[in-house]
Amino acid sequence: MYLSKEEERMLIGELGYAAQKAMEILVALGKIYDAERLVPITSAHVSGVSYANVGEDGLGFLEELASDGKVLVKTTLNPAGMDLERWSTMNIDKEFVENQLRVIDVYSRMGIEITCTCTPYFVGNEPRMGDHIAWGESSAVVYANSVIGARTNRESGISALAAAITGRTPLYGLHFEENRRPTVEVRVQQPKGDFEFACLGIIVGRIVGDGIPLFKGILHAEPDELKALGAALASVGGVPMFHVEGITPEAERSADKAVEKLTITESDIMNVKEEYATEANPDLIFLGCPHLSLTELKGIASALSGKKVRKKLWLCCSRSVKLEADRLGVTQVIEVAGGTILCDTCPIVAPVKDLGVTVVATNSAKGAWYSRNLNNLCVRLMSTEECIREATI
Ligand code: F3S
């Protein structure tokens, strides 16, 4: 792989230990994917933040990088294993709290913004169309590629961090126009609301795997609905990017390249809803996977207004969205009803099993998929309205 003079200096350690380690990681990655060179990036987003995932070995490696490593581009951070301020509300074990704060501290020393959200595009990490970026977190990757038109592969936490430290990423995969074209054309009827977008993502993710679907037949879609669709596609399948004809920015350029065609009907959507229907009584109802936007929080507040929450209801969002919700009185409505807004975390990366949770209900396809397959919980997948009803009966 071609390296510039500066990149060679990084590789032989002339620019410090962290830059050398980071460059070694990127060169190894570039060789695996036959990248001819590195490309400068405008931003990075680092996943792998919960102490439950990082562990002591991972923390040791991060400490070594932080000895002289600093990020060269705007870099944001994925959710941690707890709300960094209200961890006691979550009944998190004290040892976990201390370890999680050590992880946050080490990222902070490297110059990473402690955003702790999977929606970096809501908190100021807003690449422009065509920008090369290096993002971890599959739901953020699929949103950046599809809705924003920025270019990133599905980076791991460590490859995104290496890219942040060097300001570069190997040039391969979705950084090239020709790899961003659809592989499957999917005819659908207009989904009704974010829940049906999520169900659509489950069905298509299962079929296309890591392909790139082009949806036809969707006449309108809100950003939050595209967020739900993308998160489902990326978790149930391994979809890094999708197009929606007439809506997403690169759909038209690439519309004639799809090779395979399929049709999704209303009964397919019904079947997914039934698959996740269960009578089990949830211990925890959570909304905000990916993290809620301010628009979504406002909608939930208005649905909760005048009602009383009788089960544990967690609403997950970024801290900056919560601050805005505080300012607008949205938080107060939710808290008066008995809901809990949590920042910096989510029930997938938080140790919820240690809190005695066995059955969860959510409107999120990704949340349902990981709760079932990673955390071994019983899951009810329902619309936002149904989740609110369940929480308040
Ligand atoms: Fe975000 Fe956690 Fe879901 S990181 S996408 S809320 S699994």
Side-chain angles (χ1 to χ4, degrees):
M1 188 166 72
Y2 166 79
L3 295 181
S4 69
K5 287 275 172 280
E6 189 185 13
E7 290 159 1
E8 278 178 359
R9 288 184 66 210
M10 286 186 191
L11 191 60
I12 59 174
E14 281 185 13
L15 299 183
Y17 174 82
Q20 182 179 29
K21 285 293 145 202
M23 190 54 76
E24 284 173 5
I25 291 165
L26 297 184
V27 167
L29 196 60
K31 282 187 180 157
I32 291 169
Y33 289 101
D34 270 340
E36 286 185 5
R37 64 181 176 89
L38 302 171
V39 64
I41 56 167
T42 58
S43 86
H45 180 71
V46 174
S47 56
V49 183
S50 172
Y51 180 74
N53 302 332
V54 175
E56 222 31 56
D57 290 346
L59 188 50
F61 180 62
L62 292 175
E63 284 286 2
E64 284 173 16
L65 290 182
S67 63
D68 67 354
K70 284 268 184 280
V71 298
L72 295 183
V73 294
K74 183 177 189 67
T75 305
T76 44
L77 203 59
N78 221 35
M82 63 187 200
D83 187 310
L84 298 180
E85 293 177 5
R86 302 180 70 193
W87 46 266
S88 58
T89 314
M90 299 172 71
N91 291 327
I92 301 276
D93 172 78
K94 191 142 188 302
E95 191 181 334
F96 186 91
V97 172
E98 283 166 9
N99 288 327
Q100 183 62 75
L101 292 176
R102 288 165 64 214
V103 175
I104 296 299
D105 175 63
V106 77
Y107 280 129
S108 173
R109 277 188 271 132
M110 285 190 261
I112 297 175
E113 296 175 27
I114 307 304
T115 50
C116 293
T117 181
C118 45
T119 53
Y121 42 87
F122 287 157
V123 301
N125 193 347
E126 296 165 359
R128 290 163 309 173
M129 180 148 177
D131 278 359
H132 294 281
I133 60 175
W135 283 17
E137 171 50 45
S138 65
S139 70
V141 166
V142 74
Y143 192 93
N145 279 318
S146 316
V147 182
I148 300 173
R151 299 182 172 205
T152 178
N153 290 312
R154 281 169 58 118
E155 301 293 347
S156 66
I158 197 64
S159 66
L161 180 59
I165 288 171
T166 60
R168 298 151 163 86
T169 193
L171 185 62
Y172 72 94
L174 291 171
H175 292 283
F176 288 114
E177 172 100 28
E178 61 266 30
N179 297 329
R180 301 171 65 81
R181 293 178 186 144
T183 57
V184 188
E185 184 182 298
V186 187
R187 292 214 160 261
V188 295
Q189 291 179 341
Q190 174 70 40
K192 296 180 232 35
D194 55 355
F195 180 53
E196 289 204 355
F197 273 92
C199 292
L200 178 61
I202 292 177
I203 300 164
V204 176
R206 279 176 184 159
I207 298 170
V208 307
D210 61 0
I212 301 181
L214 164 65
F215 292 97
K216 293 192 168 184
I218 297 176
L219 303 177
H220 50 87
E222 297 298 325
D224 288 324
E225 292 168 336
L226 296 176
K227 171 164 73 86
L229 172 64
L233 287 166
S235 53
V236 177
V239 172
M241 178 173 191
F242 64 88
H243 303 281
V244 182
E245 188 179 54
I247 294 178
T248 58
E250 294 177 56
E252 311 313 324
R253 288 201 234 161
S254 46
D256 56 355
K257 299 289 180 187
V259 287
E260 207 181 310
K261 292 185 175 22
L262 60 109
T263 301
I264 304 299
T265 63
E266 269 184 48
S267 77
D268 295 320
I269 301 277
M270 283 304 298
N271 288 343
V272 173
K273 289 182 182 175
E274 278 168 23
E275 190 186 320
Y276 278 90
T278 156
E279 292 305 309
N281 194 14
D283 319 293
L284 171 67
I285 297 154
F286 71 90
L287 304 172
C289 173
H291 276 176
L292 296 162
S293 67
L294 185 61
T295 308
E296 289 175 306
L297 261 187
K298 283 181 183 171
I300 292 166
S302 104
L304 282 175
S305 178
K307 299 203 173 83
K308 192 76 211 145
V309 171
R310 298 180 198 285
K311 290 179 181 164
K312 199 190 287 271
L313 173 66
W314 283 3
L315 308 172
C316 299
C317 65
S318 66
R319 192 159 293 283
S320 64
V321 164
K322 160 100 171 19
L323 285 174
E324 195 59 11
D326 291 351
R327 198 179 61 78
L328 296 171
V330 172
T331 304
Q332 199 194 5
V333 175
I334 289 170
E335 292 186 342
V336 164
T340 303
I341 300 181
L342 292 175
C343 304
D344 317 315
T345 191
C346 79
I348 306 303
V349 295
V352 290
K353 264 200 141 174
D354 299 349
L355 311 180
V357 172
T358 56
V359 182
V360 293
T362 181
N363 64 349
S364 162
K366 176 173 178 176
W369 197 87
Y370 276 105
S371 293
R372 185 184 272 183
N373 298 307
L374 186 72
N375 293 343
N376 295 319
L377 299 171
C378 177
V379 179
R380 285 175 77 175
L381 181 61
M382 313 187 288
S383 68
T384 307
E385 296 71 28
E386 288 167 321
C387 285
I388 300 282
R389 205 174 309 132
E390 182 68 33
T392 53
I393 44 175

